[in-house]
Amino acid sequence: MSIVKSLLSRRAFTALAGAAVIATAMPVTSFAADVTIPIIVKDTTSFYWQIVLAGARKAGKDLGVNVPELGAQAESDINGQISILENAVAGKPAAIVISPTEFKALGKPIDEAAKSVPIIGIDSAADSKAFSSFLTTDNVQGGRIAADGLAAAIKEMTGKEEGDIVILTNLPGVGSLEQRREGFLDQVKTKYPGLKVIADKYGDGQATTGLNMMTDLITANPNLVGVFASNLILAQGVGQAIAENKLGDKIKVIGFDSDEKTVGFLKDGAIAGLVVQDPYRMGYDGIKTALAVSKGEKVPENVDTGANLVTKANMADPKIDALLNPKIK
């Protein structure tokens, strides 16, 4: 065989070998592209849930998975979320990631859905044991963190951990919110006996209701020194009431979650602290876990995605800044 023929033969073999590798890899790539895992959030219009969706979107891109972004227009639209879940199941996806809007109401629909497709829960619980895995903040611990933050802010203001406080919960019956409430009240009772809870109220899912509730509480309780607003919507309304009445130096507020508005209140002193979760991680890891389950892989039953207290003093820390300013595009 001549040198020229030998070189040509080697090149042909190399080309054929490369083609074989590509051909072997193609079915795997094709399979991944065909995998669909919808994510169903509570409210597609909320900044918090947009961060969750951004994390899920990035996971879909990284993992080669089609991720339909679904959800109602308000957290109070429980029937809307149930219909969305039923329609998603009918599409026969590989798995579904969902954050249930209401603990009791979503229990049976999730039980039914799980008969056909693996269900991964994120953020809020439901009255169901059918989740293949559940990723959330430890919301009881989040409530305790809020109580510690409020007590510290009140002590810095008055010199003691004493005074009248209130807790405001966005909606009744929401698993994550009830757990935050439970953790907050338990921590106050056991660790801060000088703090007296004089009101424990529920809203209706609207920031304007939080504003009105807080305005009424200010008028009716001149000795009020602290407030825990247990989600983003309520923190917006409460922060606005404090800002409008210029009471940031007399009433300390701890909110939960963050957006541009509440971070602005934090900078201006209308809010003393925000308990911030990692919603981006919830969305990303939710899809990643769902894909693993769909392949029959073993996954953790429960995953704590963490929470941090953000104050004006630590908000510039790189770790905290990343939580306050996530990339949602």
Side-chain angles (χ1 to χ4, degrees):
M1 183 182 291
S2 69
I3 294 175
V4 173
K5 284 184 178 180
S6 177
L7 287 172
L8 288 173
S9 297
R10 289 177 185 176
R11 287 172 183 170
F13 176 79
T14 302
L16 285 170
V21 170
I22 293 170
T24 303
M26 281 179 65
V28 176
T29 304
S30 175
F31 170 77
D34 290 339
V35 173
T36 294
I37 300 174
I39 181 168
I40 305 172
V41 298
K42 297 180 184 180
D43 176 2
T44 56
T45 69
S46 162
F47 182 70
Y48 175 84
W49 295 109
Q50 288 171 13
I51 299 171
V52 173
L53 293 176
R57 193 181 311 131
K58 183 63 165 62
K61 183 177 179 181
D62 289 351
L63 301 171
V65 174
N66 178 36
V67 181
E69 299 173 15
L70 309 175
Q73 298 294 299
E75 292 195 21
S76 55
D77 187 4
I78 297 166
N79 290 331
Q81 192 185 57
I82 292 172
S83 296
I84 290 167
L85 173 60
E86 291 171 347
N87 289 335
V89 171
K92 298 182 179 179
I96 292 174
V97 178
I98 185 170
S99 177
T101 53
E102 206 274 338
F103 182 80
K104 288 289 184 184
L106 268 293
K108 288 184 179 179
I110 286 172
D111 284 343
E112 193 62 31
K115 293 176 182 178
S116 304
V117 60
I119 304 294
I120 307 301
I122 59 171
D123 185 77
S124 293
D127 191 12
S128 171
K129 295 182 179 178
F131 292 109
S132 297
S133 184
F134 197 84
L135 299 87
T136 187
T137 303
D138 181 340
N139 282 291
V140 174
Q141 178 62 16
R144 294 191 187 107
I145 291 170
D148 290 341
L150 186 59
I154 291 170
K155 184 176 182 179
E156 184 178 355
M157 176 178 65
T158 67
K160 51 190 176 182
E161 297 165 344
E162 295 179 8
D164 293 347
I165 63 172
V166 299
I167 178 170
L168 304 178
T169 303
N170 194 40
L171 287 165
V174 179
S176 57
L177 302 186
E178 294 296 347
Q179 289 166 0
R180 291 171 199 171
R181 175 180 172 275
E182 173 192 336
F184 179 84
L185 292 173
D186 181 66
Q187 190 79 338
V188 168
K189 181 180 178 180
T190 58
K191 194 173 177 181
Y192 307 108
L195 297 178
K196 182 182 178 183
V197 179
I198 60 168
D200 181 359
K201 295 182 176 293
Y202 287 90
D204 60 3
Q206 302 297 320
T208 51
T209 302
L211 168 61
N212 294 334
M213 288 168 67
M214 192 64 230
T215 301
D216 291 344
L217 285 164
I218 289 169
T219 302
N221 302 280
N223 296 322
L224 186 65
V225 295
V227 182
F228 173 40
S230 70
N231 90 327
L232 178 61
I233 301 299
L234 270 185
Q236 290 172 346
V238 170
Q240 186 175 341
I242 296 296
E244 288 179 358
N245 289 278
K246 297 180 172 59
L247 290 172
D249 59 344
K250 294 183 178 179
I251 300 175
K252 297 302 177 181
V253 177
I254 301 294
F256 217 103
D257 298 327
S258 67
D259 67 353
E260 187 176 353
K261 189 170 186 178
T262 53
V263 170
F265 288 144
L266 183 64
K267 290 177 180 177
D268 295 340
I271 287 179
L274 297 167
V275 181
V276 177
Q277 307 177 79
D278 194 344
Y280 190 93
R281 179 186 170 191
M282 260 183 231
Y284 191 101
D285 286 0
I287 297 299
K288 184 179 178 181
T289 302
L291 179 62
V293 169
S294 74
K295 293 178 177 179
E297 297 175 11
K298 187 176 177 63
V299 298
E301 187 175 336
N302 292 286
V303 178
D304 178 8
T305 53
N308 295 271
L309 179 68
V310 179
T311 64
K312 196 171 181 178
N314 71 359
M315 64 188 301
D317 291 353
K319 177 185 175 183
I320 299 298
D321 182 68
L323 294 172
L324 293 178
N325 299 290
K327 296 177 181 179
I328 64 172
K329 297 297 184 183

